[in-house]
Amino acid sequence: MPRAAAQERNGGTRRRSDLQFLGVERSLQRAWAKGAGLIDEEFERPMIAVVNTCQEFSPENVHLRQVGDAVKAGVRMAGGTPCEFNAFHVTDSETFASAGMRYVLPSRDLVADMIELMVQGHRFDAMVLIASGDKVVPGMAMAAARLDLPALMLYGGPTRAGVHKGRKVFLETVYDGVGQHLRGALDRQELKALEDSHFPFPGASDTATSGNTAGIYTEALGLALPGTGTLPAAGSHQLRAAKRAGMRIMDLVRDDLRPSAILTQEAFENAMRVGMAVGGSTNMVLHMTAIAREAGVEVDFDTWDRLSRDTPTLVALAPSGPWGVTDLGDAGGVPAVLRALGDLVHAGARTVGGGTVGEIADAAENGNPACIRGMDDPVEADGAINVLRGSLAPDGAVVKASGVARDMREAVLRARVFEDEEGAIEAIRGNGIGPGTCLVIRNEGPRGGPGMREMLGATSALMGAGLGSSCALVTDGRFSGATHGPAIGYVTPEAARGGPIAFVEDGDTVRVDLPGRRLELDVSLDELAARRSRHVPAQARVTRGYLKHYSETVAPASEGAVLPR
């Protein structure tokens, strides 16, 4: 089926906005817009949607009003009429380990839908998408692919890590500190000091969160101007980049350069390799799969598995290493990573900047080889993301291998089963988990959760309890980019779809084999069949509202957890 915009190529020689606002028969439409302050001359110019995620209670969004103003200034300088409206951001870092987290992943598809409704309803000619938040960024990229209008993305950016007593304070520093406090290793005053030191400025936490990972992979996809995926938030460099983005969208309109010319199979492979090379969040597996579906490109667990086997990890971003995302930007950012990947990159892929990926890589410099390592001296020989399969995950599971201690990459563990994240956290903090345990958290998938919560609360409790090098966590839910340790998520089929994870019992043997890419449950087929026959599915947690609809219609994690569109 053709994409929405492909059905109407600006009305032949006329722009979409001309058809909406020009001519005697459009007097009422102009009158209505004039009521908002527009003048006749503005209707004669291309009308550009500036989609912003500014909101007052999330650090990665609070500075975006000024960024939006800079984008609009750029649009006006280049002869366009900017029309700003807001998207929303259900902030995951403020909902961890709560019922609110169930609404975070479902918001991604709603962001895409909302942009479609606004842009198609008002017949804008192009879009600048100011994105901050790990579901907002892919949601906006999904909208760009779906609408196929000239589009350019600008990431809201990270802030530099806070510092307390000479130590960098990342998101995971604070969350792990909770577990340390509960076991008596950190007093309340020190925990509060970490809490107060975390954010020196607005922006996303300076670690490989899912949001920062999304800023990196959208730049590598070619949807953002070179260097903007790692620019620190709320600085003059970002404001200048915002003006350039506003000016550049007018070139895309003039040249009719659309996402369909950029979002190719080669572009996705470039972005996937860059995401893995920097040790990005496992959430990129879910989101890039969803963006690819909108773009008509085939990306699945097999694609990730194939690319991860020969994509080295070149950057040890926190929480798996010492470097912040701003450090990566200082070292040369995405262009320098593309250069370091060499022949693994599809050099001919196009970008919104006008140049090819190869041209961007050739012009890049690596300003810190200790941060961005070379192919001959990688952090790890293969990609940070591993796709595991086996009797516990027939359709696949995902782990960030770069965050797993070597002693845990091959392990035989005893299962301890929990029906939700809260139960696992309570057991960990109550000293009910010993070394050699595999915590199995189920009924947290897209359908069963519903909403596929991130398990940062459980992983941080595990790390805070000092069990990160002797226990594993396996779930049909997902993990934050701030997660570290042996955390295996996205187990498919999920429990709510009758996957084997639904039939694990306390004391079962679970075998983790990262080098062999296996996740096995040592239970015979006969025993598994017997358990299946007596299994009683968990009752639905939500029986009304949006999450009920989501649970009934969402696709499996292996298909991007997308809604039917």
Side-chain angles (χ1 to χ4, degrees):
M1 174 178 286
R3 299 179 196 175
Q7 299 172 23
E8 180 188 354
R9 290 289 180 180
N10 288 335
T13 59
R14 299 185 70 192
R15 292 187 295 263
R16 287 158 48 101
S17 60
D18 291 349
L19 299 171
Q20 190 83 346
F21 290 106
L22 296 186
V24 174
E25 70 280 6
R26 295 293 174 181
S27 291
L28 178 59
Q29 286 84 344
R30 289 193 299 277
W32 208 265
K34 285 178 179 180
L38 272 71
I39 61 175
D40 289 324
E41 288 79 359
E42 288 179 291
F43 301 119
E44 300 284 345
R45 301 173 177 181
M47 302 189 77
I48 310 300
V50 177
V51 190
N52 201 336
T53 54
C54 178
Q55 61 190 38
E56 295 181 346
F57 51 87
S58 303
E60 58 266 63
N61 306 100
V62 71
H63 64 295
L64 294 182
R65 191 177 309 281
Q66 189 177 16
V67 174
D69 288 343
V71 168
K72 290 185 289 185
V75 171
R76 291 191 181 99
M77 284 190 290
T81 298
C83 302
E84 186 177 16
F85 65 87
N86 262 66
F88 58 84
H89 174 207
V90 184
T91 310
D92 53 344
S93 295
E94 295 174 4
T95 65
F96 283 131
S98 77
M101 174 55 79
R102 302 192 194 286
Y103 292 85
V104 174
L105 178 59
S107 73
R108 181 196 67 188
D109 293 64
L110 276 179
V111 167
D113 292 347
M114 183 180 68
I115 293 170
E116 177 187 358
L117 293 172
M118 285 293 289
V119 171
Q120 293 294 77
H122 293 275
R123 314 313 290 166
F124 295 124
D125 298 304
M127 305 179 288
V128 178
L129 305 165
I130 305 170
S132 210
D134 71 329
K135 308 305 173 292
V136 177
V137 183
M140 288 186 166
M142 289 166 69
R146 183 186 303 174
L147 299 183
D148 202 28
L149 291 168
L152 188 152
M153 298 188 68
L154 180 65
Y155 180 51
T159 185
R160 297 193 184 278
V163 177
H164 176 62
K165 293 183 176 179
R167 174 193 180 194
K168 285 186 176 181
V169 180
F170 297 112
L171 184 158
E172 59 275 6
T173 313
V174 180
Y175 222 145
D176 292 354
V178 174
Q180 294 165 3
H181 170 67
L182 292 173
R183 67 184 173 96
L186 188 73
D187 66 34
R188 181 67 184 90
Q189 186 175 354
E190 279 298 287
L191 179 59
K192 185 178 185 302
L194 293 177
E195 177 185 324
D196 292 343
S197 301
H198 180 23
F199 282 97
F201 304 103
S205 180
D206 195 21
T207 188
T209 61
S210 303
N212 284 331
T213 301
I216 289 167
Y217 69 62
T218 49
E219 180 184 336
L221 268 172
L223 287 178
L225 294 177
T228 58
T230 53
L231 276 179
S236 61
H237 289 283
Q238 185 179 59
L239 293 178
R240 294 199 294 269
K243 290 182 180 179
R244 294 292 181 192
M247 296 174 71
R248 178 61 188 161
I249 193 64
M250 299 304 297
D251 296 331
L252 301 186
V253 172
R254 181 197 64 218
D255 298 338
D256 197 30
L257 180 58
R258 298 169 182 258
S260 55
I262 294 168
L263 296 177
T264 61
Q265 184 75 44
E266 291 75 18
F268 277 94
E269 292 190 4
N270 286 343
M272 293 162 74
R273 288 194 189 277
V274 168
M276 288 188 282
V278 303
S281 167
T282 56
N283 275 321
M284 66 180 166
V285 175
L286 196 71
H287 299 319
M288 289 185 66
T289 300
I291 299 166
R293 288 173 71 89
E294 294 281 5
V297 172
E298 183 63 35
V299 170
D300 57 19
F301 276 6
D302 289 334
T303 316
W304 286 97
D305 184 53
R306 172 174 60 84
L307 295 179
S308 73
R309 292 177 183 272
D310 65 357
T311 302
T313 304
L314 301 179
V315 184
L317 287 180
S320 301
W323 303 105
V325 176
T326 55
D327 295 325
L328 172 61
D330 292 342
V334 170
V337 176
L338 289 167
R339 183 182 181 93
L341 286 169
D343 293 340
L344 290 177
V345 169
H346 297 288
R350 301 177 70 181
T351 73
V352 293
T356 65
V357 166
E359 290 167 343
I360 292 169
D362 288 344
E365 295 183 5
N366 184 351
N368 186 354
C371 176
I372 304 175
R373 307 269 281 269
M375 294 282 282
D376 57 346
D377 182 32
V379 178
E380 298 287 348
D382 57 2
I385 301 296
N386 285 182
V387 175
L388 312 180
R389 283 189 168 85
S391 58
L392 187 50
D395 294 342
V398 179
V399 61
K400 186 195 287 190
S402 60
V404 180
R406 294 200 173 275
D407 289 347
M408 287 299 296
R409 295 191 179 191
E410 294 182 78
V412 179
L413 308 164
R414 291 291 176 186
R416 178 79 181 277
V417 181
F418 301 92
E419 303 300 332
D420 55 32
E421 183 188 20
E422 288 83 353
I425 294 172
E426 183 179 353
I428 296 167
R429 292 179 177 170
N431 298 316
I433 302 298
T437 301
C438 178
L439 289 85
V440 177
I441 304 177
R442 62 191 177 199
N443 295 307
E444 290 284 9
R447 174 182 289 178
M452 202 178 190
R453 294 193 295 177
E454 291 181 345
M455 302 287 107
L456 181 62
T459 56
S460 292
L462 204 64
M463 299 301 290
L467 295 169
S469 60
S470 60
C471 293
L473 196 155
V474 173
T475 180
D476 52 9
R478 58 194 177 89
F479 292 109
S480 162
T483 296
H484 50 138
I488 302 169
Y490 309 86
V491 170
T492 51
E494 63 174 292
R497 297 179 192 268
I501 191 172
F503 314 122
V504 182
E505 296 182 356
D506 286 347
D508 285 347
T509 299
V510 175
R511 296 180 182 272
V512 177
D513 179 6
L514 267 57
R517 309 293 176 98
R518 304 298 296 173
L519 181 63
E520 304 287 358
L521 176 65
D522 282 353
V523 173
S524 71
L525 293 177
D526 289 344
E527 172 61 18
L528 207 59
R531 293 181 185 181
R532 185 185 295 272
S533 68
R534 61 177 182 263
H535 177 67
V536 178
Q539 288 189 331
R541 293 189 173 102
V542 179
T543 58
R544 60 183 296 180
Y546 184 73
L547 284 188
K548 180 176 186 294
H549 161 73
Y550 184 85
S551 176
E552 291 170 349
T553 57
V554 67
S558 55
E559 298 175 17
V562 295
L563 294 177
R565 293 289 183 263

